[in-house]
């Protein structure tokens, strides 16, 4: 199914196939960068809010408190303005990427349907609802490949971004006992993810057979 879209057909469709793939990868990288940038922003924002209230101590006056509050107000305002600058590109990027993705995936399905029709034997006994089956098969095939690849890519980029963050936090706050090592947070997150995957596989194993029987 990959050859019919990415390695055969007219030149304009091949160009659209590869340009759409680049747009898909670029959008995934943008989402990963946005996750990292927002994570850094949240850290700064909540750190700034920790000491927003301040009681004057010895030798300090109400003017000092007012100055402190004004400084904090300016700091929070600056952080909110930076937040708006971070998320504003997403208002344009996400809809445009979704529009390109929809057309790209539809072109993929059409390429598969044309490949099917070239091998269709009109001399065979007609199959009830054959046109609908071709549409559904190509849609499910494309959806499965796309969803799998998108999930794997998003997971790899998320790991590349946040594993170093977990290592830094774990190195700075190592607990006592058997978790006394730098990557203890990474170990906990990995164990939780693998454990959840195993439970999902065990619970959903029979659903595969049920889906096959349902399609039959």
């Amino acid at each position: 199914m990959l050859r019919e879209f990415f390695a055969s057909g007219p030149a304009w469709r091949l160009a659209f196939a590869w340009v759409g793939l680049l747009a898909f990868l670029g959008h995934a990288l943008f989402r990963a960068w946005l996750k990292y940038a927002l994570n850094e922003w949240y850290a700064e924002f909540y750190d700034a809010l920790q000491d927003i209230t301040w009681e004057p101590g010895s030798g300090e006056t109400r003017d000092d408190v007012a100055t402190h509050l004004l400084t904090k107000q300016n700091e929070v305002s600056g952080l909110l303005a930076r937040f708006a600058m971070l998320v504003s590109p997403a208002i344009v990027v996400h809809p445009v990427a979704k529009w390109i993705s929809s057309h790209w995936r539809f072109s993929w399905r059409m390429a598969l349907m044309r490949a099917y029709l070239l091998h269709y034997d009109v001399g065979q006994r007609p199959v009830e609802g054959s046109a609908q089956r071709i549409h559904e098969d190509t849609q499910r095939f494309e959806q499965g490949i796309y969803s799998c690849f998108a999930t794997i890519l998003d997971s790899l980029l998320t790991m590349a971004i946040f594993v170093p963050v977990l290592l830094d936090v774990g190195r700075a706050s190592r607990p006592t006992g058997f978790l006394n090592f730098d990557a203890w947070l990474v170990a906990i997150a990995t164990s939780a993810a693998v454990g959840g995957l195993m439970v999902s596989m065990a619970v959903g194993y029979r659903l595969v057979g049920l889906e096959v029987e349902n399609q039959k």
Side-chain angles (χ1 to χ4, degrees):
M1 85 167 271
L2 297 174
R3 184 188 67 245
E4 298 298 339
F5 187 49
F6 292 99
S8 63
W12 67 267
R13 198 181 71 197
L14 287 174
F16 184 66
W18 288 100
V19 170
L21 180 61
L22 291 177
F24 169 74
L25 295 175
H27 187 222
L29 290 172
F30 173 77
R31 291 200 313 268
W33 170 82
L34 188 60
K35 287 180 183 179
Y36 176 78
L38 289 177
N39 182 70
E40 294 292 321
W41 181 87
Y42 278 121
E44 293 184 32
F45 182 73
Y46 288 114
D47 286 344
L49 292 181
Q50 283 183 353
D51 59 344
I52 198 167
T53 57
W54 180 50
E55 295 295 333
S58 59
E60 295 171 338
T61 63
R62 292 188 177 275
D63 291 337
D64 296 328
V65 176
T67 302
H68 171 77
L69 291 176
L70 181 60
T71 302
K72 281 296 176 181
Q73 181 181 0
N74 293 334
E75 183 180 359
V76 171
S77 299
L79 287 170
L80 291 176
R82 202 171 86 192
F83 177 81
M85 293 179 63
L86 284 175
V87 300
S88 56
I91 299 174
V92 177
V93 171
H94 289 329
V96 171
K98 186 176 173 106
W99 182 81
I100 294 175
S101 175
S102 298
H103 283 269
W104 180 58
R105 295 170 63 182
F106 179 74
S107 178
W108 194 346
R109 289 168 54 189
M110 292 298 295
L112 291 177
M113 289 176 57
R114 292 188 183 98
Y116 283 179
L117 292 176
L118 289 176
H119 297 85
Y120 188 78
D121 186 2
V122 295
Q124 295 293 328
R125 182 173 62 87
V127 177
E128 181 183 357
S130 57
Q132 180 182 355
R133 295 188 182 196
I134 291 177
H135 279 284
E136 289 182 351
D137 288 347
T138 53
Q139 191 272 337
R140 290 175 180 174
F141 208 2
E142 172 269 325
Q143 176 67 30
I145 294 293
Y146 181 85
S147 299
C148 182
F149 185 67
T151 302
I152 292 175
L153 180 61
D154 184 68
S155 300
L156 291 176
L157 292 175
T158 301
M159 288 176 60
I161 289 172
F162 288 105
V163 165
V165 175
L166 291 177
L167 286 174
D168 291 339
V169 175
R171 190 179 298 112
S173 56
R174 290 169 58 172
T176 57
F178 71 97
L179 291 177
N180 189 12
F181 57 97
D182 292 344
W184 66 278
L185 284 176
V186 177
I188 291 177
T190 304
S191 301
V194 172
L197 177 62
M198 294 297 105
V199 171
S200 299
M201 290 175 62
V203 173
Y205 177 75
R206 293 185 178 273
L207 295 178
V208 179
L210 291 175
E211 179 65 19
V212 172
E213 294 298 323
N214 182 47
Q215 293 304 316
K216 288 181 182 180

